[in-house]
Amino acid sequence: MTPPDDVWKIASVADAARARAAVDRIATDGGAPTLERARFLTALTARLRSCLSLGGEWELRLHVRQFATGQAGRLEASLRPTGDHEPGPQDGTPPLTCPLPQRPVRQSRRVAGSLPRALLRADEDTAEVLSLLDEQENLVRLHREELHHTNQGVLALHADLEAAARAQRELLEAERTARTEAERARRLLTFLADASAAITSSLSHTAILRRLSDMLVPEYAERLDVWLFDEEEYEEHDDEHAHRVPDHSAAAVAAARTGRPQHAAAHPGALPGVDDLPPSALSPERPLLAIPLVAQRLLGVLTLTAPGPRLDEDTSVMLVELARRVGVALDHAHRYRQSRNTAEALQRAQLTDLPTPPGLLLAARYLPATWGMNIGGDWYDAFLQPDGSVLAVIGDVTGHGLHAAVVMGQLRTALRAYAVENATPGEILTRLHRMLGHLQPDLYATALIARFRPGEPEVLWASAGHPPAVARAADGTVRVLDAKPGVMLGIPLPYVYTDQRADLPPGSSLVLYTDGLVERRGRGIDPGIGRLGRALEALNTAELEQNLDAAADALLKPLLYDSERDDDVCLLLCHTVPPTVRERPQKADRFPSDSPPPDSLSVRGSVKDTRREGGFRESL
């Protein structure tokens, strides 16, 4: 059951004080918390003061509202004017409430309104509130200290995180820099390896310097100058970047004098292993790097004009190492050229003039290899035997170079000696086989000997492992003399070579050659022999009898125009003529003393020795 409301008339300050004291007592009896009670009484005092300022009589109604069992109640206080007083500002204000944990004990209005007790209780409430405030202040101070420490920790953590982030950025930057430097070093090493492979794969000074220029300009050098001390020993070369100049920079002269790399620029380069010089008058704006070209001796100086305002250390180290390898490559090319010239001179000295027997026209061609040391092993020969027969010989010694040329000379001399006894081709080869196996057991050779006898419409021949001869009849029919050849000369086993016969009436031709004419890498020898047969078939008898030299060139052209030769080539073209055809008389002195020998001879029985620089014929 809800208790009835307590109503207090408020007309004066004393009424207000008594009413406040009563409300305080009820709230205290109801177990209201001190802080809630203080707030409630403070708000009620403010409203009472407001009502007194408005004047008139006011009614304070107190109502204790009890909820269901087990739930706390509350004290409600509302103010409103009595009588016919006009509505004031308190009329629309909601009542004040204060929670009551327990039901208050109702007392008489007199006891409840005791002012002294109310004042004492107010002081107690104030003291309790102040105590709560002290506790809150302590809590606030503790919280402030804790917040300060937390802030300090946060700041320290932030500083640590910032330091960690900075260290991480520095590590990333260092790693990025290291990766960049490693990639640059890898690129320089790759370039050095590729450049070294390119320059060392050639034995031509021209090709070496041209490749060097193509690789360095313009990425590593704006300009490239080469100063070779023995220029007359080197091939001339023409390149838009690499060239020899009459005026050499002071850096190049210093490099030639000291044998050390020189750096000429307006600022010190501090490059490892490189001396610094003032800027060059030939290149005042760009640095110069002059590097000696050294092998077993000082060959020259390579001068590079930098592509930018400076040269970095890594690039300079790479360029110095590359120049060292260029010097070695140039030295190898120089030695190769000397060896090649010696072997070629020896070989040419041993190639003889061809005879001019009746009933037989002869023309020969010798072409050294266009690259490599593959010279010295091929030879041809033609001479008369005591009985009037003509022996036409073609041969090839295994190996190349000076030693092969010497062995070729020995075979040629021995063959002529054995032929003096009018021996047949098979007998001569048998004796050569025994001789070579005894004197040069590590060398082998191939050879083919054809014997022409005046008045006989056939040729007697024998082969020691040599490519087969190709014959052309007077009607243009071409056949290959492909009877089984004997073993190569010098093979360590006894062997007797047999003679073969082939019809060769007047007007017929016989072509002897070495494998360098018909053999190509990856294609074997048979396709080349087929091309030679077609070229021979394309000739006519009139061309052969009128100008055998031109016919020999016509045979070479389709076989050699489309490829470089990695082996030397010998060709011996033999053409039989009827007795009615008269040979052109030979002069006793083939080359007049007051004029140099012609490049080509058109007389029958001549030999044309064509150098590689001009190809095998100027017109080709």
Side-chain angles (χ1 to χ4, degrees), residues 12 39 64 70 78 180 189 200 213 225 283 288 309 333 355 476 554-555 579 587:
S12 64
R39 289 176 179 171
V64 177
S78 58
T180 302
L189 290 176
T200 56
S213 174
D225 297 324
S283 179
L288 291 183
L555 290 178
K587 296 182 180 180

Side-chain angles (χ1 to χ4, degrees), residues 395-420:
D396 187 0
V397 177
T398 59
H400 304 282
L402 188 59
H403 185 53
V406 171
V407 174
M408 180 269 291
Q410 294 174 350
L411 285 177
R412 175 180 170 275
T413 303
L415 189 149
R416 285 195 169 217
Y418 296 145
V420 170

Side-chain angles (χ1 to χ4, degrees), residues 186-465:
R186 185 198 62 80
R187 185 170 60 86
L188 289 175
L189 290 176
T190 301
F191 173 80
L192 179 61
D194 294 342
S196 301
I199 62 178
T200 56
S201 63
S202 175
L203 290 174
S204 167
H205 296 86
T206 303
I208 291 173
L209 296 178
R210 182 178 295 115
R211 292 174 185 179
L212 180 66
S213 174
D214 293 340
M215 290 181 295
L216 291 181
V217 179
E219 183 176 0
Y220 295 100
E222 182 184 47
R223 178 187 174 93
L224 185 149
D225 297 324
V226 179
W227 176 18
L228 297 177
F229 299 152
D230 299 327
E231 294 192 26
E232 67 278 0
E233 297 184 9
Y234 297 93
E235 298 175 355
E236 291 297 326
H237 64 283
D238 182 17
D239 189 87
E240 60 177 331
H241 301 300
H243 53 279
R244 303 182 182 94
V245 293
D247 297 328
H248 304 293
S249 65
V253 174
R257 186 179 65 254
T258 63
R260 287 177 53 82
Q262 304 292 323
H263 174 259
H267 47 78
L271 304 176
V274 180
D275 299 336
D276 285 318
L277 293 176
S280 172
L282 299 180
S283 179
E285 302 297 331
R286 296 289 179 90
L288 291 183
L289 183 62
I291 311 172
L293 299 175
V294 181
Q296 296 181 358
R297 60 189 178 93
L298 187 60
L299 303 177
V301 177
L302 172 67
T303 303
L304 303 172
T305 303
R310 287 182 178 271
L311 281 170
D312 63 88
E313 295 184 3
D314 294 338
T315 301
S316 68
V317 170
M318 182 274 293
L319 292 175
V320 170
E321 175 60 21
L322 179 60
R324 185 189 67 80
R325 301 184 185 188
V326 170
V328 173
L330 290 175
D331 186 61
H332 287 172
H334 175 64
R335 294 176 181 275
Y336 154 76
R337 183 173 176 81
Q338 287 183 327
S339 300
R340 179 188 177 91
N341 289 343
T342 302
E344 186 174 341
L346 179 60
Q347 174 118 359
R348 292 181 186 279
Q350 299 185 93
L351 297 177
T352 58
D353 292 338
L354 299 178
T356 56
L360 183 65
L361 303 179
L362 297 172
R365 294 291 183 268
Y366 169 72
L367 291 85
T370 55
W371 61 278
M373 277 296 295
N374 298 342
I375 57 176
D378 293 14
W379 93 95
Y380 64 85
D381 198 1
F383 55 92
L384 293 172
Q385 286 185 296
D387 63 356
S389 300
V390 177
L391 288 185
V393 183
I394 197 83
D396 187 0
V397 177
T398 59
H400 304 282
L402 188 59
H403 185 53
V406 171
V407 174
M408 180 269 291
Q410 294 174 350
L411 285 177
R412 175 180 170 275
T413 303
L415 189 149
R416 285 195 169 217
Y418 296 145
V420 170
E421 301 177 359
N422 293 321
T424 66
E427 293 171 345
I428 296 173
L429 289 178
T430 301
R431 295 176 184 178
L432 282 177
H433 176 62
R434 290 198 298 266
M435 185 273 291
L436 185 61
H438 176 68
L439 297 180
Q440 298 287 344
D442 296 331
L443 280 181
Y444 310 106
T446 65
L448 190 149
I449 303 176
R451 189 181 73 180
F452 300 89
R453 218 167 236 180
E456 292 186 2
E458 63 180 9
V459 61
L460 186 69
W461 63 276
S463 175

Side-chain angles (χ1 to χ4, degrees), residues 102-178:
Q102 61 186 18
R103 187 179 185 86
V105 179
R106 296 183 60 82
Q107 297 183 357
S108 64
R109 296 175 61 87
R110 181 174 181 178
V111 175
S114 175
L115 291 178
R117 291 184 178 178
L119 290 176
L120 292 176
R121 197 162 38 250
D123 291 339
E124 293 175 359
D125 292 342
T126 302
E128 191 170 353
V129 170
L130 292 176
S131 176
L132 290 175
L133 288 176
D134 291 339
E135 293 178 0
Q136 293 299 319
E137 288 181 356
N138 291 333
L139 290 176
V140 169
R141 184 174 65 255
L142 292 176
H143 286 310
R144 285 179 178 175
E145 292 177 357
E146 183 178 358
L147 181 61
H148 175 71
H149 293 310
T150 302
N151 290 339
Q152 293 295 324
V154 170
L155 292 176
L157 179 60
H158 180 72
D160 292 342
L161 291 176
E162 181 66 22
R166 189 183 309 109
Q168 184 70 16
R169 288 193 298 271
E170 292 175 354
L171 289 176
L172 291 176
E173 184 65 26
E175 180 181 3
R176 189 179 298 109
T177 303

